[in-house]
Short mmCIF file of all heavy atoms in Angstrom, two decimals:
data_model
loop_
_atom_site.label_atom_id
_atom_site.label_comp_id
_atom_site.label_asym_id
_atom_site.label_seq_id
_atom_site.Cartn_x
_atom_site.Cartn_y
_atom_site.Cartn_z
N GLN A 1417 -4.82 -3.60 -6.81
CA GLN A 1417 -3.46 -3.29 -6.33
C GLN A 1417 -3.32 -3.75 -4.91
O GLN A 1417 -2.31 -3.76 -4.31
CB GLN A 1417 -3.13 -1.82 -6.43
CG GLN A 1417 -3.12 -1.29 -7.90
CD GLN A 1417 -2.06 -1.92 -8.69
OE1 GLN A 1417 -1.03 -2.32 -8.13
NE2 GLN A 1417 -2.20 -1.98 -10.02
N VAL A 1462 -18.65 -5.35 -12.97
CA VAL A 1462 -18.98 -6.78 -13.19
C VAL A 1462 -19.92 -6.87 -14.41
O VAL A 1462 -20.07 -7.92 -15.07
CB VAL A 1462 -19.65 -7.46 -11.95
CG1 VAL A 1462 -18.59 -7.55 -10.78
CG2 VAL A 1462 -20.93 -6.73 -11.45
N PRO A 1465 -18.96 -5.84 -20.66
CA PRO A 1465 -18.48 -7.02 -21.45
C PRO A 1465 -16.95 -7.26 -21.16
O PRO A 1465 -16.18 -6.28 -21.13
CB PRO A 1465 -18.74 -6.46 -22.91
CG PRO A 1465 -19.72 -5.37 -22.75
CD PRO A 1465 -19.50 -4.81 -21.38
N LEU A 1512 -19.34 2.92 8.88
CA LEU A 1512 -20.07 1.60 8.77
C LEU A 1512 -21.15 1.55 9.92
O LEU A 1512 -20.76 1.54 11.05
CB LEU A 1512 -19.08 0.44 8.83
CG LEU A 1512 -19.66 -0.87 8.53
CD1 LEU A 1512 -19.96 -1.00 7.02
CD2 LEU A 1512 -18.73 -2.00 8.91
N PRO A 1517 -24.40 -7.55 14.20
CA PRO A 1517 -23.05 -7.58 14.78
C PRO A 1517 -22.47 -8.92 14.97
O PRO A 1517 -21.39 -9.05 15.52
CB PRO A 1517 -23.25 -6.86 16.08
CG PRO A 1517 -24.62 -7.22 16.57
CD PRO A 1517 -25.44 -7.33 15.25
N SER A 1528 -17.58 2.30 12.82
CA SER A 1528 -16.23 2.28 12.50
C SER A 1528 -15.97 2.94 11.04
O SER A 1528 -16.72 2.72 10.12
CB SER A 1528 -15.77 0.83 12.46
OG SER A 1528 -15.73 0.29 13.75
N ILE A 1579 -10.76 1.04 10.05
CA ILE A 1579 -10.66 0.67 11.49
C ILE A 1579 -11.63 -0.50 11.73
O ILE A 1579 -12.80 -0.48 11.45
CB ILE A 1579 -11.22 1.88 12.35
CG1 ILE A 1579 -10.50 3.17 11.92
CG2 ILE A 1579 -10.98 1.65 13.77
CD1 ILE A 1579 -8.98 3.11 12.09
N VAL A 1589 -11.09 -15.63 9.24
CA VAL A 1589 -9.98 -16.61 9.32
C VAL A 1589 -10.20 -17.61 10.50
O VAL A 1589 -10.18 -18.87 10.27
CB VAL A 1589 -8.62 -15.96 9.31
CG1 VAL A 1589 -7.55 -16.97 9.64
CG2 VAL A 1589 -8.38 -15.11 8.11
N VAL A 1629 18.03 -4.62 3.36
CA VAL A 1629 17.54 -5.69 4.27
C VAL A 1629 17.14 -7.01 3.50
O VAL A 1629 17.24 -8.16 3.88
CB VAL A 1629 16.31 -5.22 5.08
CG1 VAL A 1629 15.16 -4.71 4.24
CG2 VAL A 1629 15.82 -6.30 6.12
N GLN A 1645 28.10 -23.37 -0.80
CA GLN A 1645 27.52 -23.34 -2.21
C GLN A 1645 27.14 -21.98 -2.67
O GLN A 1645 26.92 -21.76 -3.91
CB GLN A 1645 26.30 -24.27 -2.30
CG GLN A 1645 26.63 -25.77 -2.11
CD GLN A 1645 25.37 -26.62 -1.97
OE1 GLN A 1645 25.10 -27.27 -1.03
NE2 GLN A 1645 24.61 -26.55 -3.05
N GLU A 1662 31.91 0.55 0.28
CA GLU A 1662 33.01 0.20 1.13
C GLU A 1662 32.47 -0.45 2.45
O GLU A 1662 32.98 -1.49 2.95
CB GLU A 1662 33.91 1.44 1.40
CG GLU A 1662 34.44 2.07 0.30
CD GLU A 1662 33.49 3.18 -0.36
OE1 GLU A 1662 32.32 3.15 -0.12
OE2 GLU A 1662 34.09 3.97 -1.18
N LEU A 1667 31.56 -5.03 6.15
CA LEU A 1667 30.58 -5.63 7.20
C LEU A 1667 30.40 -7.14 6.91
O LEU A 1667 30.42 -7.92 7.86
CB LEU A 1667 29.27 -4.85 7.02
CG LEU A 1667 28.21 -5.09 8.13
CD1 LEU A 1667 28.70 -4.60 9.49
CD2 LEU A 1667 26.89 -4.38 7.79
N PHE A 1668 30.16 -7.41 5.68
CA PHE A 1668 29.93 -8.91 5.41
C PHE A 1668 31.11 -9.73 5.60
O PHE A 1668 31.07 -10.84 6.18
CB PHE A 1668 29.32 -9.07 4.05
CG PHE A 1668 27.81 -9.07 3.92
CD1 PHE A 1668 27.13 -7.89 4.08
CD2 PHE A 1668 27.16 -10.26 3.88
CE1 PHE A 1668 25.76 -7.90 4.07
CE2 PHE A 1668 25.76 -10.22 3.87
CZ PHE A 1668 24.99 -8.98 3.92
N PHE A 1672 30.27 -10.66 9.39
CA PHE A 1672 29.45 -11.79 9.19
C PHE A 1672 30.10 -12.97 8.68
O PHE A 1672 29.52 -14.13 8.75
CB PHE A 1672 28.26 -11.37 8.21
CG PHE A 1672 27.50 -10.21 8.54
CD1 PHE A 1672 26.93 -9.46 7.57
CD2 PHE A 1672 27.29 -9.81 9.80
CE1 PHE A 1672 26.19 -8.30 7.86
CE2 PHE A 1672 26.56 -8.75 10.20
CZ PHE A 1672 26.04 -7.94 9.21
N ARG A 1684 30.65 1.30 -16.69
CA ARG A 1684 29.88 0.48 -17.72
C ARG A 1684 28.35 0.81 -17.60
O ARG A 1684 27.73 0.97 -18.66
CB ARG A 1684 30.08 -1.02 -17.28
CG ARG A 1684 29.36 -2.00 -18.19
CD ARG A 1684 29.78 -3.39 -17.86
NE ARG A 1684 29.05 -4.40 -18.52
CZ ARG A 1684 29.35 -5.67 -18.55
NH1 ARG A 1684 30.46 -6.12 -17.94
NH2 ARG A 1684 28.58 -6.50 -19.22
N VAL A 1693 16.32 9.02 -20.68
CA VAL A 1693 15.57 9.93 -19.81
C VAL A 1693 14.33 9.14 -19.38
O VAL A 1693 13.69 9.46 -18.24
CB VAL A 1693 15.11 11.24 -20.44
CG1 VAL A 1693 16.42 12.03 -20.74
CG2 VAL A 1693 14.32 11.01 -21.69
N LYS A 1698 15.40 3.19 -18.18
CA LYS A 1698 16.45 3.11 -17.22
C LYS A 1698 16.52 1.77 -16.49
O LYS A 1698 17.50 1.18 -16.36
CB LYS A 1698 16.33 4.27 -16.18
CG LYS A 1698 16.77 5.60 -16.65
CD LYS A 1698 16.68 6.56 -15.41
CE LYS A 1698 16.74 8.07 -15.79
NZ LYS A 1698 16.53 8.93 -14.65
N GLU A 1734 3.79 -4.36 -8.24
CA GLU A 1734 3.94 -3.09 -9.05
C GLU A 1734 4.56 -3.34 -10.44
O GLU A 1734 4.53 -2.55 -11.23
CB GLU A 1734 4.84 -2.09 -8.26
CG GLU A 1734 4.08 -1.67 -7.00
CD GLU A 1734 4.88 -0.39 -6.42
OE1 GLU A 1734 6.00 -0.11 -6.73
OE2 GLU A 1734 4.17 0.26 -5.59
N THR A 1737 1.23 -6.20 -15.24
CA THR A 1737 0.93 -5.62 -16.40
C THR A 1737 -0.46 -5.82 -16.89
O THR A 1737 -1.21 -6.59 -16.36
CB THR A 1737 1.84 -6.08 -17.62
OG1 THR A 1737 1.74 -7.49 -17.61
CG2 THR A 1737 3.29 -5.79 -17.27
N PRO A 1772 13.28 -17.20 -2.63
CA PRO A 1772 12.53 -17.56 -1.46
C PRO A 1772 11.79 -16.53 -0.76
O PRO A 1772 10.96 -16.80 0.11
CB PRO A 1772 13.70 -18.19 -0.56
CG PRO A 1772 14.87 -17.60 -0.96
CD PRO A 1772 14.78 -17.33 -2.48
N PHE A 1777 6.37 -9.72 2.49
CA PHE A 1777 6.29 -8.20 2.50
C PHE A 1777 7.47 -7.75 3.23
O PHE A 1777 8.11 -8.56 4.09
CB PHE A 1777 5.06 -7.69 3.11
CG PHE A 1777 3.79 -7.88 2.28
CD1 PHE A 1777 3.02 -9.00 2.33
CD2 PHE A 1777 3.49 -6.86 1.34
CE1 PHE A 1777 2.02 -9.20 1.51
CE2 PHE A 1777 2.40 -7.05 0.48
CZ PHE A 1777 1.58 -8.17 0.62
N LEU A 1788 17.05 -14.52 12.01
CA LEU A 1788 18.31 -15.19 11.48
C LEU A 1788 19.53 -14.59 12.09
O LEU A 1788 20.67 -15.04 11.77
CB LEU A 1788 18.35 -14.97 9.93
CG LEU A 1788 17.34 -15.80 9.16
CD1 LEU A 1788 17.37 -15.45 7.65
CD2 LEU A 1788 17.68 -17.29 9.20
N ALA A 1844 13.29 8.14 3.70
CA ALA A 1844 13.62 9.58 3.70
C ALA A 1844 14.69 9.68 2.71
O ALA A 1844 15.85 9.23 2.94
CB ALA A 1844 14.00 10.04 5.12
N ALA A 1846 16.41 12.08 -1.01
CA ALA A 1846 16.36 13.20 -1.96
C ALA A 1846 16.26 12.91 -3.41
O ALA A 1846 16.67 11.79 -3.69
CB ALA A 1846 17.71 14.06 -1.69
N ARG A 1852 16.58 23.70 -13.95
CA ARG A 1852 17.29 24.66 -13.12
C ARG A 1852 16.46 25.90 -12.84
O ARG A 1852 15.60 26.18 -13.71
CB ARG A 1852 18.62 25.08 -13.84
CG ARG A 1852 19.48 23.91 -14.11
CD ARG A 1852 20.89 24.29 -14.47
NE ARG A 1852 21.66 23.18 -14.90
CZ ARG A 1852 22.92 23.08 -14.87
NH1 ARG A 1852 23.67 24.06 -14.32
NH2 ARG A 1852 23.58 21.96 -15.24
N VAL A 1868 14.45 17.73 -4.29
CA VAL A 1868 13.19 17.38 -3.63
C VAL A 1868 13.43 16.47 -2.42
O VAL A 1868 14.11 15.47 -2.61
CB VAL A 1868 12.20 16.79 -4.59
CG1 VAL A 1868 10.86 16.39 -3.90
CG2 VAL A 1868 11.97 17.68 -5.81
N GLU A 1900 26.18 23.59 1.23
CA GLU A 1900 27.29 22.51 1.13
C GLU A 1900 27.29 21.81 -0.18
O GLU A 1900 28.39 21.29 -0.48
CB GLU A 1900 27.12 21.54 2.32
CG GLU A 1900 27.27 22.20 3.70
CD GLU A 1900 27.03 21.22 4.80
OE1 GLU A 1900 27.32 19.98 4.61
OE2 GLU A 1900 26.51 21.58 5.88
N SER A 1913 0.74 11.84 -1.15
CA SER A 1913 0.65 10.48 -0.58
C SER A 1913 0.62 9.42 -1.72
O SER A 1913 0.68 9.76 -2.89
CB SER A 1913 -0.64 10.39 0.21
OG SER A 1913 -1.71 10.54 -0.63
#
Side-chain angles (χ1 to χ4, degrees):
Q1417 296 295 332
V1462 295
L1512 188 70
S1528 294
I1579 308 302
V1589 171
V1629 62
Q1645 291 172 243
E1662 302 89 342
L1667 192 64
F1668 266 77
F1672 304 153
R1684 179 170 174 171
V1693 297
K1698 284 184 192 176
E1734 293 193 344
T1737 57
F1777 287 92
L1788 291 170
R1852 302 195 187 204
V1868 179
E1900 298 176 29
S1913 62

